[in-house]
Structure formats: structure tokens, C-alpha cells
Amino acid sequence: MKTNKIFGLLAFLSIAFLSGCGMQSIPTAKNDVEAKWAEVQNQYKRRMDLIPNLVNTVKGYANHEEKTLVEVMEARAGASKVNIDASKLDEASMQKFIQSQGAITQALGKLMVVSENYPNLKADANFRDLQAQLEGTENRITVARNRYIESIQIFNNLVTVPPTSWYNSLFLKNEKFPQFQVDDIKKAQDAPEVKFQ
């Protein structure tokens, strides 16, 4: 009888220990990282979806700026080829993603500078609407990226800080997810300036 009570108590304590050490928290945090990464990609896709309309509007006023327009569309095409599954995210794929999005940011920046030379374009209601949508999308990208960064921090802490890291190393074997690097964000991910005076 005493042995059954001791066995029951040990079983209860083992379950409580494992539950407290990551049995649920690590997979839940991983799911959150994947959801947040999907939102980051969703917002970048939204930006890419605005680009053809923006380019066509600019083309109507500034068709001799073909080189800039081609650069924007090529950057968009290159970025659309970079699709990363959150469960397979590593440092190399993160760098590839950041670089492809940085190319779009740079090309859009050039497009906005070119558009400064065309007062009729700046006055076009469609262009102003696209500018507003692009600016809103850039803000959404920033929010989604920040949420992703926070979820990565939570997950990485769970897989590297005891006691949850013990459970992870024994049973799950999850590696840390790569994080956006501050230098990369500063160089490649800053929102292009889309406001005009």
C-alpha cells in the first residue's frame, strides 16, 4: 500500500516536473514563432502586391525612367522566389530573406526619389493612395517583425535556459531560431521614405 502511494507521488512529481520544464511550453512557443514568421512574410507579400500598381502609375508619368522601374520589378521578382518555411528557418535562409527584401527597399527608395521630379505624378490621386498603402504596409512590416523578434526571444530562452532547456535537450532537441540582426535590419529592412512635401 505504501509502495503504491510512493509510486503515485513519484509519478505525479515526474509529470509536474516535465510539464514545468517545457513539455508544453516549448512546442507552444515554437508554434508561436512559426505563426509570427508567417505574419512577417504576409506583410512583405502585401508590399510586393502593391509594387506593380505603383510601377504602372509611375510609368504613366515617367516612362523614360525605365531603368528604375525595371530595377523595382526585378527586385520584386527576386524576393518572390525566397519563401522560407518557419520550421526550416536557419541563419543562411534568414540572410537570403533579408537581402531579397533589402533589394526591394532600395529599389522603392530610388523609385520615390525619381517620382519627386514629376509634379503631376505627385498630384495623382492613385499614386497618393498607393503611397499611403505602402507606408501603412511598411508600418505593418515593422510591427510583425517586432512581434516575431519577441517570439524568437521567448522560444530561444525556453530551449537554452534551465530547467526547460533540460527537457529540450533530453526529448525535443530543438535548436535556437535565428534572429534578425540589428545591422541587417538597419541596412536592408528600414522602411523606404514615401512621404512627399
Side-chain angles (χ1 to χ4, degrees):
M1 189 72 136
K2 226 178 197 185
T3 308
N4 287 343
K5 286 183 181 181
I6 292 173
F7 179 73
L9 180 62
L10 287 174
F12 173 77
L13 290 175
S14 296
I15 291 171
F17 176 76
L18 290 176
S19 295
C21 288
M23 186 175 189
Q24 290 181 340
S25 57
I26 293 174
T28 300
K30 185 175 183 180
N31 290 342
D32 189 53
V33 167
E34 291 173 357
K36 296 293 191 316
W37 179 249
E39 184 57 21
V40 167
Q41 289 184 309
N42 182 45
Q43 294 307 326
Y44 278 113
K45 183 181 181 318
R46 176 182 165 88
R47 178 172 76 166
M48 286 196 300
D49 290 346
L50 290 171
I51 291 172
N53 292 334
L54 188 63
V55 167
N56 286 333
T57 301
V58 172
K59 192 186 299 183
Y61 289 92
N63 56 3
H64 67 279
E65 300 287 353
E66 186 174 336
K67 180 181 179 214
T68 303
L69 298 173
V70 167
E71 285 178 14
V72 172
M73 293 308 290
E74 285 176 350
R76 179 186 182 273
S80 67
K81 294 176 185 173
V82 180
N83 295 313
I84 303 169
D85 180 355
S87 66
K88 296 177 176 74
L89 199 57
D90 60 12
E91 198 67 39
S93 59
M94 177 63 78
Q95 286 303 314
K96 189 174 180 182
F97 181 81
I98 288 172
Q99 288 171 354
S100 69
Q101 293 303 324
I104 289 179
T105 299
Q106 290 175 348
L108 283 174
K110 288 179 185 177
L111 183 64
M112 293 303 144
V113 169
V114 163
S115 65
E116 279 288 324
N117 299 323
Y118 299 92
N120 291 340
L121 172 62
K122 293 191 311 185
D124 182 274
N126 190 35
F127 182 71
R128 286 194 320 263
D129 179 54
L130 288 167
Q131 274 184 282
Q133 288 184 49
L134 182 60
E135 184 178 346
T137 299
E138 294 297 339
N139 290 335
R140 287 183 178 116
I141 287 169
T142 299
V143 169
R145 201 173 49 226
N146 287 339
R147 288 178 179 162
Y148 170 75
I149 289 169
E150 290 169 6
S151 69
I152 286 289
Q153 180 183 5
I154 291 167
F155 176 82
N156 287 349
N157 283 341
L158 286 170
V159 300
T160 60
V161 178
T164 54
S165 65
W166 299 333
Y167 180 79
N168 180 59
S169 64
L170 289 172
F171 300 107
L172 301 176
K173 312 263 191 254
N174 284 307
E175 297 291 325
K176 287 174 54 175
F177 276 113
Q179 190 59 274
F180 277 101
Q181 299 299 316
V182 175
D183 291 343
D184 294 329
I185 292 171
K186 192 71 182 145
K187 285 190 299 192
Q189 299 290 38
D190 284 343
E193 182 61 46
V194 294
K195 291 183 179 179
F196 295 107
Q197 306 304 345

